[in-house]
Amino acid sequence: MSSADVWVIGAAMTPFGRFADKDVLDLATEAALDALGDAGTTIRDMDALAVGNMYQADAHNAQRLQKQIGQTGIPAYNVVNACATGATAVRVAWLSIRAGEADYGLAVGVEKMGKMGLLGGAAKKRADRKVFTPSGRYGSVAKPEGLLGTGLMPGVFAQAGTEYALRHGVSAEQFAEVARKSHAHSVLNPLAQYRKEFSLAEITGAEMISYPNTLPMCCPTGDGAAAVVLVSDAKLRTLDPDVRRRAVKISASVLTSDPWTESAQVQPDVNTLTRAAADQAYEKAGIGPDDLDLVELHDCFATAELLHYDNLRLCEPGGAGDFISSGGPWRDGKTPVNVSGGLLSKGHPIGATGVANLYEVVTHLRGEAGDRQIEGARVGLTHVIGLASACAVHILERAA
């Protein structure tokens, strides 16, 4: 595999929200064409296409997208990897370039979710719950959900947050402060699904979903898409100077899954694979957490964001509560986190999220983020985690 750099030269994102008049292909087409236009390229230049989508993953979305923007016979990859779907699609395009099979790659993440409610929580008919017939791989007579841990996201991240709080003395108000920060940041993002500030009292006093996460501490479902155009280092050198000026280097692309841990056999472990991905990314990029100018991380719940301050080494071990209380992750703090508003406010169309995180960081590193710009940003990190589990971390650097 080549050790040459891979660069982002085009990035785009649709607004996130709920769009009854648009389907998956409408959203993917909009993001893809905008990213190609931002790069000064067309689909005819692309050597590989990767499309990430979760809830219509069996619909051959990459090939269907080609029928909208141009069928050129290139390899087309359909990617699904839980909440890490979009970031994995980026990595597929990145790998195609690193393998020497492509000079250009287009990665698209897209999802059409609407108001689908609690992910994975659809219940069977009540009558079915009383049938105790052995079934499935393990011959279970009843589902263990809620009896032997939980696989539902609100419960998983509430439990993970509670364990961290008990170990390190984090208060419910500190978790709520994470949400206050992200909602405040979203006001400056015109593409965010929600753009409303909340007081700490409004957050802590809202409907409890899974302690300590109240409703404003949980991400919404919605629709949206994002796309990036990647290029090899050799090809970049041949492009227009303005393209080269706006290029952003992918200094590290890392994907991890769960190693075996005893506790994860009952309750998903969202920490170990994130720490592993972060450590590998820092080593590959040759930087450390103190070098980061901004971070877009996976805050599906406020508890998740606080945990990942620690997992991504943004604070001292055990110090995530102190980090939020110090103002460290605010846009004017030590390491701004989720200046987009994060999943809590920007929204979380699952397949789009991982690519949208890259779009946000790329926009800041280019100095093109408008009112929400982090001044002088040169290095940024993106992170997503999907239960099952998969974790993707990318480190991005502005061209010298």
Side-chain angles (χ1 to χ4, degrees), residues 11-313:
M13 171 183 160
T14 70
F16 281 4
R18 297 189 176 114
F19 306 107
D21 59 337
K22 295 181 180 181
D23 63 14
V24 163
L25 287 183
D26 293 327
L27 295 164
T29 298
E30 181 180 340
L33 291 177
D34 285 350
L36 290 167
D38 184 56
T41 59
T42 72
I43 189 61
R44 294 182 183 86
D45 299 306
M46 298 300 108
D47 302 307
L49 168 66
V51 176
N53 176 264
M54 182 74 178
Y55 285 101
Q56 294 185 31
D58 59 350
H60 305 292
N61 291 304
Q63 287 82 358
R64 293 169 69 208
L65 176 60
Q66 285 182 308
K67 291 180 180 180
Q68 302 298 311
I69 66 175
Q71 294 173 272
T72 58
I74 60 175
Y77 301 92
N78 292 287
V79 180
V80 57
N81 208 8
C83 293
T85 290
T88 305
V90 173
R91 182 166 166 79
V92 168
W94 179 86
L95 285 169
S96 295
I97 294 173
R98 288 291 299 269
E101 294 183 351
D103 277 321
Y104 285 105
L106 172 63
V108 182
V110 61
E111 206 71 68
K112 176 78 175 178
M113 298 174 72
K115 293 190 71 172
M116 67 187 305
L118 176 62
L119 304 183
K124 288 187 174 182
K125 294 179 181 178
R126 186 166 296 275
D128 295 340
R129 298 179 185 175
K130 297 181 181 180
V131 177
F132 297 106
T133 302
S135 63
R137 176 179 291 274
Y138 303 110
S140 303
V141 296
K143 288 192 173 183
E145 173 60 41
L147 300 174
L148 297 174
T150 179
L152 300 183
M153 282 190 276
V156 168
F157 287 99
Q159 176 69 17
T162 300
E163 289 179 356
Y164 189 90
L166 292 173
R167 193 158 50 242
H168 300 296
V170 177
S171 69
E173 287 72 22
Q174 286 174 311
F175 286 121
E177 179 68 8
V178 171
R180 188 174 79 87
K181 169 195 66 70
S182 291
H183 288 298
H185 285 173
S186 73
V187 172
L188 298 175
N189 185 358
L191 299 179
Q193 184 166 345
Y194 296 115
R195 303 178 66 191
K196 178 183 177 181
E197 289 194 62
F198 290 86
S199 69
L200 200 61
E202 287 174 320
I203 294 170
T204 57
E207 178 186 0
M208 185 61 65
I209 302 301
S210 188
Y211 184 85
N213 291 312
T214 63
L215 185 60
M217 298 165 71
C218 304
C219 70
T221 59
D223 313 328
V228 291
V229 176
L230 309 185
V231 69
S232 67
D233 191 63
K235 175 60 72 172
L236 179 66
R237 294 194 208 105
T238 71
L239 300 182
D240 184 271
D242 192 55
V243 174
R244 298 200 302 270
R245 177 186 62 80
R246 298 175 70 240
V248 172
K249 183 170 70 172
I250 300 180
S251 299
S253 174
V254 174
L255 184 66
T256 60
S257 61
D258 287 325
W260 190 93
T261 60
E262 185 173 359
S263 63
Q265 308 316 300
V266 174
Q267 189 76 14
D269 175 3
V270 301
N271 300 312
T272 304
L273 78 167
T274 293
R275 292 180 189 132
D279 290 347
Q280 290 178 42
Y282 291 134
E283 182 177 359
K284 291 177 185 294
I287 67 165
D290 289 341
D291 297 310
L292 299 174
D293 296 305
L294 76 160
V295 172
E296 287 288 310
L297 63 77
H298 196 80
D299 61 323
C300 47
F301 299 89
T303 49
E305 177 167 328
L306 188 136
L307 287 173
H308 295 315
Y309 297 156
D310 201 324
N311 292 330
L312 297 173
R313 320 299 189 185

Side-chain angles (χ1 to χ4, degrees), residues 320-335:
D322 292 339
F323 186 61
I324 184 65
S325 293
S326 73
W330 283 78
R331 55 175 294 104
D332 57 355
K334 177 179 179 290
T335 308

